[in-house]
């Protein structure tokens, strides 16, 4: 019995000695926690900026979109639309209009369109007898859908507030021309004799190309089609070949 008890006490002594290193390790100070900031977790790209407020332009006083609809009827005439193989270039991001034979008629449009090569479309009024008149010229500068139509006004001049104040280009030579506005007025531009409703491209000495249209004489207004973010979709010059009665008449159903 005494021998067993001695062995037991000896065993307990070995256990205590083995436990001392563990207690000593437990008393060692812990390493300080890192104070470096954790990298922020990205929350995705920021939201896009809101679109700019719409420009303060007068709404078109007539339904200009009718001039772009194939088969649209105005009295005894129907609209025929024709895409042209030529384009209207603009490196400055602005367009201008003028009578090629009257340099003082040159005006730049106030609304920017961006630089590019813009598609050109004719709106032609065809009578039942087959006679053709140029109803409008359409310069495609953006993408539909169209949200509204506004009056195109001149850069640096007062904006119209009523239909009586519409900015108009006076044509006395039978031709109206569109051009990149960047280098200002080109002065007088020679054009060939008119050949029906077919427009012509006129290269200028300053490197630009004018698009001349045989529209007849008159005073013509222009309009912008703009999208929901106020970006221009197209520019339309109305050659005013239809009477007010034809504009107001309801098309046959």
């Amino acid at each position: 019995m005494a021998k067993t008890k001695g062995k037991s006490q000896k065993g307990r002594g070995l256990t205590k000695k083995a436990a001392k290193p563990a207690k000593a390790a437990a008393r060692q100070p812990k390493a300080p926690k890192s104070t470096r900031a954790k990298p922020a977790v990205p929350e995705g790209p920021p939201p896009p900026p809101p679109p700019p407020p719409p420009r303060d332009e007068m709404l078109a006083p007539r339904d200009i979109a009718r001039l772009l609809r194939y088969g649209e009827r105005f009295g005894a005439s129907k609209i025929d639309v024709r895409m042209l193989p030529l384009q209207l270039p603009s490196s400055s991001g602005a367009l201008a209009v003028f009578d090629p034979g009257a340099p003082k008629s040159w005006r730049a449009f106030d609304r920017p369109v961006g630089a590019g090569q813009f598609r050109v479309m004719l709106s032609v009024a065809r009578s039942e007898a087959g006679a053709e008149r140029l109803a409008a010229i359409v310069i495609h500068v953006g993408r539909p859908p169209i949200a509204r139509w506004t009056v195109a006004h001149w850069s640096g001049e007062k904006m119209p507030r009523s239909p009586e104040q519409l900015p108009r280009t006076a044509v006395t030579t039978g031709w109206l021309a569109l051009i990149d506005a960047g280098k200002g007025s080109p002065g007088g531009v020679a054009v060939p004799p008119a050949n029906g409703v077919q427009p012509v491209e006129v290269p200028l000495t300053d490197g630009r190309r004018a698009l001349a249209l045989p529209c007849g004489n008159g005073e013509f207004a222009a309009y912008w089609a703009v999208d929901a973010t106020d970006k221009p979709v197209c520019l339309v010059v109305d050659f005013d070949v239809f009477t007010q009665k034809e504009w107001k008449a309801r098309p046959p159903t």
Side-chain angles (χ1 to χ4, degrees):
M1 291 292 291
K3 185 181 284 189
T4 304
K5 187 176 180 181
K7 286 182 180 180
S8 176
Q9 288 175 348
K10 186 175 180 180
R12 284 199 298 269
L14 289 172
T15 303
K16 287 182 180 180
K17 286 181 181 180
K20 282 183 180 180
K23 288 183 179 180
R27 295 192 188 106
Q28 292 179 359
K30 294 182 179 180
K33 293 183 179 180
S34 174
T35 57
R36 295 179 61 184
K38 294 182 179 180
V41 179
E43 299 179 357
R55 292 167 62 89
D56 185 19
E57 293 175 339
M58 176 183 166
L59 294 179
R62 56 174 51 166
D63 187 4
I64 299 299
R66 293 180 64 191
L67 296 173
L68 280 63
R69 297 176 191 148
Y70 177 81
E72 181 80 5
R73 180 178 288 277
F74 289 85
S77 298
K78 287 185 179 181
I79 292 295
D80 181 16
V81 293
R82 302 172 187 174
M83 293 300 300
L84 301 182
L86 54 84
Q87 294 180 322
L88 179 64
S90 175
S91 58
S92 69
L95 298 177
V97 63
F98 66 108
D99 180 335
K104 291 184 179 180
S105 67
W106 187 91
R107 295 289 187 279
F109 291 109
D110 181 73
R111 180 182 277 273
V113 295
Q117 299 272 346
F118 303 125
R119 295 177 301 142
V120 179
M121 185 177 81
L122 296 184
S123 171
V124 179
R126 288 177 56 89
S127 70
E128 294 177 355
E132 295 184 344
R133 295 175 295 167
L134 190 59
I137 179 70
V138 185
I139 309 298
H140 293 274
V141 298
R143 295 181 178 275
I146 296 169
R148 66 186 185 282
W149 288 88
T150 66
V151 174
H153 61 276
W154 312 133
S155 176
E157 297 188 16
K158 189 175 181 180
M159 289 182 289
R161 297 300 179 187
S162 68
E164 293 75 23
Q165 299 175 339
L166 292 189
R168 296 178 180 272
T169 303
V171 173
T172 58
T173 64
W175 291 84
L176 178 140
L178 291 162
I179 193 173
D180 175 16
K183 297 179 181 179
S185 173
V189 174
V191 293
N195 181 20
V197 299
Q198 189 65 27
V200 295
E201 270 190 311
V202 183
L204 305 180
T205 56
D206 60 12
R208 290 180 292 175
R209 298 200 308 271
L211 177 65
L213 301 132
C215 59
N217 294 338
E219 295 185 351
F220 307 123
Y223 303 89
W224 293 109
V226 296
D227 65 14
T229 64
D230 201 51
K231 292 182 179 180
V233 176
C234 64
L235 172 70
V236 175
V237 181
D238 176 12
F239 292 125
D240 212 15
V241 298
F242 301 120
T243 65
Q244 282 294 99
K245 182 179 179 180
E246 289 171 324
W247 273 100
K248 292 180 180 179
R250 290 186 176 183
T253 56

